[in-house]
Amino acid sequence: MSLGGASERSVPATKIEITVSCRAAPGTARPMLTLHPPAQFGRTEVIDNTLNPDFVRKFVLDYFFEEKQNLRFDVYNVDSKTNISKPDFLGQAFLALGEVIGGQGSRVERTLTGVPGKKCGTILLTAEELSNCRDIATMQLCANKLDKKDFFGKSDPFLVFYRSNEDGTFTICHKTEVVKNTLNPVWQPFSIPVRALCNGDYDRTVKIDVYDWDRDGSHDFIGEFTTSYRELSKAQNQFTVYEVLNPRKKCKKKKYVNSGTVTLLSFSVDSEFTFVDYIKGGTQLNFTVAIDFTASNGNPLQPTSLHYMSPYQLSAYAMALKAVGEIIQDYDSDKLFPAYGFGAKLPPEGRISHQFPLNNNDEDPNCAGIEGVLESYFQSLRTVQLYGPTYFAPVINQVARAAAKISDGSQYYVLLIITDGVISDMTQTKEAIVSASSLPMSIIIVGVGPAMFEAMEELDGDDVRVSSRGRYAERDIVQFVPFRDYVDRSGNQVLSMARLAKDVLAEIPEQLLSYMRTRDIQPRPPPPANPSPTPAPKQP
C-alpha cells in the first residue's frame, strides 16, 4: 500500500517491512499499536500482560526514496479482548519512514509522548527490505522431555521463531499454537514464507525459543536453540534433533545437560503462489450469509432494536452484510448468494428454525446480488418472529456439505455469520469448525450490539487452535470481530463499512492459500483472452 504521492511512477516501490516493539509502556496490561499514514493503515495484535511487547504482526509499506513518508504510531492498552473500540491511550510517536530506514542498522528508538505529565516509555522500530523470494516452507516439529514448569500438571509448550538481523538483534516471525499439559508436544504443521524466516539469506541464523504458556501472560522460558534455513532444509531427507538449552541453568548447574529436545519431523519447500494466481486461474469465491433472528436483538419495529429498519440509515446487520458482501461478490461470477436466518419462529405454524432461507425458497436459497440478500433480509424481518436460541452449527454444516463436494480448488466458500449474542451450541459449533477446517471454506463472524463476545474469541483460534473431542482444527478458518470497533464516531457509515471490510476480509486470502497448500493444489493457467465478451447465461 502506498503512503501517497504521484499516481504514475517509472520506478516500482520497494517493499519495506516494519517490526515494532515497545519498552516500559506505563501501566500496560494488554498493549496494541496502530499505524496511521495519515488514516489508520493497520494495527497489531493485542498481547496479554506485558510492559515490553514485541508485536508479531508487521506493517509492509511501499517505500519511495524521493518522498517524505510521515508515520504516526499510537500505543493503546486494551482492557478486554472483546472491547477494543475504546482502548486507553498510552502514547504516540511521529517520524518519517526514511528515518527508520536511515537509522543505524535501519533501527530507531523513539520516546513515546502525548500523555501530559507522564513518561510513556519508548518505541523501537526496525525496517527491512523484503526479498522477492516467493518460496514457502512447511514444517512440523515435536519436543521430548521438556522441563516441567507448572506446579500442578506438566507444561503448556509453544515455540517462538526469530530471524536474525544484520545488527545482531532478532525479529520475531512466527509463534506456534500452545499444546496443553505435556512435556512431549507435537505441534501442528505450519507454513511460513521463506522471506519471513530468513529474507532469502539461507545461512542467516534462526533462533527458536521454547516457552511454557501461562494464562496471565508471564510465559516461562524453557530454553532455546538456533538453526538456519539451510540446516532446516536438510530435514527433507532426515529427522533433525536440536538440544533445547537454558543459558541460566547451564551456568548454575555443573551436571546440566539440556532442557529437552526438539525434533524437526518434516520440512518441505514450494513456490509460493499468491491469492491472485488462484483467482486468475478461475477459482471462485462462494459467499453465504447467516443472520441472527433471535429475540435478544429486540423488536425490529422499535428504534432500539439491532434489526430496526430506519428510513434514514442501515442497521448494524445491514451494514456488516453490505460491507463484506460488496467486496466478495466481485470474485463470484454468477452473483447468486445463499442467505439464511437462524433462531426464528416461522409462519404459519411457528416452527423454530436454525437455518431458514431468507427468500422463503427451500429449493433455491440463492439471492441475486447483495441487494437481493438485503431485500430478502428485510422481508424476513416482516414475516418471522424473533425467538431463539443462538445455534451456529446447522448453518456451518450446511455450507460445509457444499464445500465437501468440490475439492479441486475451483471453488472456495466464505460464510458470514452476523450475530448479537452468546452462542448456545458451543460444543456442536466447535465440532463443526474442526470438521470444516479440512474443507475449502472460511467463516467470518461479526458481532453486533453491546454484548461481551468471549466465546467468539475462543472460536477465532488465533491463540489456541479450536479443538473438539481431542481433535484439533486442521487450519484456522474463523475470523471474529465486534462491529462496534469499526463504527466511525462521526456517524459516517461508508467509512465504518470500509474499516470493517478491510479487517474481516484480510485473512481470507491466506486462509484460501493455506487450504490450497495443504492439498497441494496449484493454480490453473489463466484462460486465454477472449476478444469478444461471452454473454452471461440466462437464469432458469
Side-chain angles (χ1 to χ4, degrees):
M1 181 175 181
S2 173
L3 304 186
S7 58
E8 294 184 8
R9 301 179 185 273
S10 58
V11 180
T14 300
K15 293 289 184 185
I16 298 292
E17 180 185 79
I18 301 291
T19 301
V20 186
S21 299
C22 294
R23 294 293 176 262
T28 302
R30 305 186 71 246
M32 177 190 75
L33 179 141
T34 60
L35 169 60
H36 301 255
Q40 183 171 313
F41 176 78
R43 66 185 182 194
T44 66
E45 74 279 15
V46 177
I47 300 180
D48 285 334
N49 300 310
T50 179
L51 299 176
N52 303 302
D54 296 314
F55 297 103
V56 176
R57 193 170 296 169
K58 313 290 192 287
F59 300 110
V60 177
L61 309 176
D62 288 344
Y63 166 62
F64 299 99
F65 173 77
E66 66 274 19
E67 288 183 14
K68 186 174 181 64
Q69 295 171 271
N70 293 317
L71 308 176
R72 186 184 96 221
F73 295 89
D74 293 346
V75 183
Y76 295 94
N77 176 41
V78 181
D79 290 332
S80 72
K81 287 187 178 182
T82 54
N83 185 17
I84 60 175
S85 57
K86 296 181 180 179
D88 298 325
F89 177 71
L90 297 176
Q92 61 187 187
F94 298 86
L95 70 169
L97 179 56
E99 290 182 71
V100 186
I101 295 170
Q104 186 173 359
S106 293
R107 181 181 173 91
V108 298
E109 183 171 3
R110 291 284 187 272
T111 300
L112 291 166
T113 61
V115 182
K118 284 189 178 181
K119 291 184 177 181
C120 301
T122 62
I123 184 170
L124 292 83
L125 304 166
T126 304
E128 182 159 13
E129 180 179 352
L130 289 177
S131 76
N132 291 323
C133 175
R134 289 182 63 183
D135 288 346
I136 189 156
T138 301
M139 66 186 88
Q140 183 176 23
L141 301 100
C142 69
N144 190 42
K145 296 182 179 178
L146 295 176
D147 285 351
K148 181 176 179 292
K149 290 290 183 180
D150 292 342
F151 187 75
F152 297 106
K154 298 178 182 177
S155 290
D156 305 318
F158 67 97
L159 303 176
V160 183
F161 285 69
Y162 303 85
R163 70 165 182 260
S164 61
N165 302 315
E166 293 179 3
D167 62 356
T169 59
F170 287 90
T171 297
I172 188 169
C173 57
H174 181 74
K175 282 183 184 178
T176 67
E177 78 280 10
V178 177
V179 181
K180 293 291 192 73
N181 197 33
T182 179
L183 303 179
N184 304 296
V186 179
W187 289 282
Q188 295 282 329
F190 69 90
S191 297
I192 183 171
V194 171
R195 64 173 178 267
L197 191 64
C198 65
N199 207 17
D201 178 357
Y202 293 177
D203 295 307
R204 181 184 292 213
T205 299
V206 176
K207 183 166 77 81
I208 302 171
D209 288 352
V210 187
Y211 284 95
D212 168 41
W213 178 85
D214 286 330
R215 187 177 296 277
D216 64 2
S218 59
H219 310 308
D220 299 317
F221 178 70
I222 295 176
E224 65 185 14
F225 61 95
T226 60
T227 182
S228 66
Y229 173 82
R230 193 179 300 281
E231 189 175 326
L232 289 167
S233 64
K234 293 176 183 176
Q236 293 179 91
N237 304 312
Q238 62 188 43
F239 285 170
T240 305
V241 180
Y242 298 95
E243 282 194 298
V244 178
L245 300 177
N246 188 317
R248 286 188 179 180
K249 280 192 172 183
K250 193 175 181 180
C251 291
K252 289 181 179 178
K253 297 182 180 180
K254 290 183 179 180
K255 293 184 179 180
Y256 176 79
V257 178
N258 59 47
S259 295
T261 60
V262 169
T263 301
L264 182 60
L265 298 174
S266 63
F267 186 93
S268 61
V269 182
D270 298 294
S271 292
E272 182 185 20
F273 296 110
T274 67
F275 176 72
V276 174
D277 290 333
Y278 286 96
I279 298 301
K280 278 185 177 178
T283 297
Q284 295 279 303
L285 298 186
N286 292 288
F287 181 49
T288 302
V289 180
I291 296 177
D292 186 335
F293 279 77
T294 55
S296 54
N297 286 282
N299 185 342
L301 299 176
Q302 299 296 324
T304 53
S305 171
L306 295 169
H307 282 303
Y308 180 60
M309 292 182 286
S310 167
Y312 306 109
Q313 60 181 15
L314 294 173
S315 67
Y317 276 91
M319 277 198 286
L321 170 56
K322 194 174 173 70
V324 176
E326 286 190 342
I327 290 178
I328 287 187
Q329 71 176 350
D330 291 340
Y331 303 94
D332 188 324
S333 59
D334 66 12
K335 305 290 189 289
L336 295 175
F337 307 120
Y340 299 94
F342 58 89
K345 278 187 174 182
L346 307 186
E349 69 275 9
R351 175 178 60 89
I352 299 172
S353 175
H354 303 291
Q355 180 200 326
F356 62 91
L358 295 184
N359 64 1
N360 201 30
N361 186 338
D362 290 315
E363 299 300 319
D364 182 11
N366 289 314
C367 300
I370 296 306
E371 290 306 318
V373 176
L374 284 167
E375 225 174 274
S376 296
Y377 160 58
F378 294 142
Q379 183 58 35
S380 291
L381 284 175
R382 297 184 186 99
T383 57
V384 305
Q385 178 188 346
L386 274 58
Y387 202 69
T390 305
Y391 287 171
F392 285 3
V395 74
I396 293 175
N397 289 328
Q398 169 74 14
V399 176
R401 284 191 290 272
K405 295 176 182 177
I406 305 173
S407 57
D408 62 358
S410 63
Q411 308 285 330
Y412 193 85
Y413 291 77
V414 179
L415 168 61
L416 170 65
I417 300 175
I418 313 175
T419 183
D420 83 312
V422 179
I423 185 171
S424 306
D425 64 339
M426 176 60 85
T427 301
Q428 294 86 345
T429 295
K430 289 168 75 172
E431 173 96 10
I433 289 171
V434 170
S435 297
S437 67
S438 63
L439 300 173
M441 69 177 283
S442 293
I443 302 169
I444 297 168
I445 304 174
V446 177
V448 298
M452 301 303 286
F453 294 103
E454 288 92 343
M456 305 304 174
E457 291 288 346
E458 184 179 348
L459 297 179
D460 194 300
D462 282 343
D463 296 325
V464 179
R465 194 164 292 194
V466 178
S467 64
S468 174
R469 301 182 186 180
R471 201 163 54 105
Y472 283 87
E474 186 177 306
R475 301 180 296 123
D476 176 14
I477 65 169
V478 179
Q479 165 80 335
F480 166 73
V481 295
F483 182 74
R484 58 176 173 252
D485 293 349
Y486 303 91
V487 175
D488 179 63
R489 292 178 182 176
S490 68
N492 186 326
Q493 290 198 335
V494 173
L495 188 56
S496 298
M497 290 190 290
R499 288 173 176 169
L500 174 71
K502 179 182 176 183
D503 229 29
V504 300
L505 293 174
E507 292 187 15
I508 297 297
E510 180 52 39
Q511 289 175 354
L512 180 147
L513 290 172
S514 73
Y515 172 77
M516 301 298 186
R517 285 195 293 263
T518 58
R519 296 299 179 271
D520 197 24
I521 299 172
Q522 297 191 3
R524 299 174 181 181
N530 188 352
S532 57
T534 304
K538 293 180 179 179
Q539 297 298 329

